Amino acid sequence: MNVNVESSLDKNNFIVKIAGDLIGDETGPKLMGLVSDAINDGARNCIIDLSRVRYISSSGIGVLITILTKMRNVGGEVFLTSPSEHVKKLLIITKLNNIFTVYDNLEEALANIP
């Protein structure tokens, strides 16, 4: 799995672009470290771009929920963008679409996040 990370110009938003399968393995701790660093740098929102994620395992769902918990503990929020049809179905089946705000694309997320 390849994890690309970029910070937006607005220091409150931390953008994570993920490519491949989100299965937890070594990527989970790596993502947790990146999110912790972003929080320490003042980020209060985490935007996760799922446009290049093909599959999310139960461990991958755990990673997303852990990121959400970390962000909410500092008064922040996590937003998901660009999920594939398969990932959208998974979010609906697991009812995570009720927990996360999901946007169709990154530009829409950035335009709607305060």
Side-chain angles (χ1 to χ4, degrees):
M1 168 161 228
N2 180 22
V3 178
N4 297 318
V5 179
E6 80 180 47
S7 295
S8 71
L9 296 175
D10 178 359
K11 289 291 184 187
N12 289 330
N13 295 323
F14 178 65
I15 301 171
V16 181
K17 293 184 177 183
I18 303 173
D21 296 335
L22 182 55
I23 55 176
D25 58 14
E26 75 280 347
T27 304
K30 181 178 178 181
L31 278 172
M32 292 303 110
L34 294 171
V35 169
S36 293
D37 290 347
I39 289 170
N40 292 336
D41 290 341
R44 290 298 170 259
N45 294 313
C46 181
I47 303 168
I48 303 175
D49 183 345
L50 300 172
S51 61
R52 295 177 28 205
V53 172
R54 299 177 306 140
Y55 171 80
I56 301 177
S57 71
S58 58
S59 295
I61 290 171
V63 169
L64 293 177
I65 291 171
T66 302
I67 292 171
L68 179 66
T69 302
K70 280 180 165 283
M71 293 306 295
R72 286 191 174 168
N73 284 342
V74 296
E77 193 58 59
V78 174
F79 303 92
L80 305 179
T81 69
S82 310
S84 67
E85 285 303 313
H86 177 75
V87 172
K88 275 185 194 175
K89 288 178 186 172
L90 176 68
L91 293 172
I92 291 168
I93 290 169
T94 58
K95 306 239 185 266
L96 290 175
N97 62 322
N98 295 327
I99 296 171
F100 292 97
T101 301
V102 182
Y103 290 101
D104 289 335
N105 56 59
L106 185 57
E107 293 76 23
E108 180 184 355
L110 290 170
N112 287 292
I113 295 171

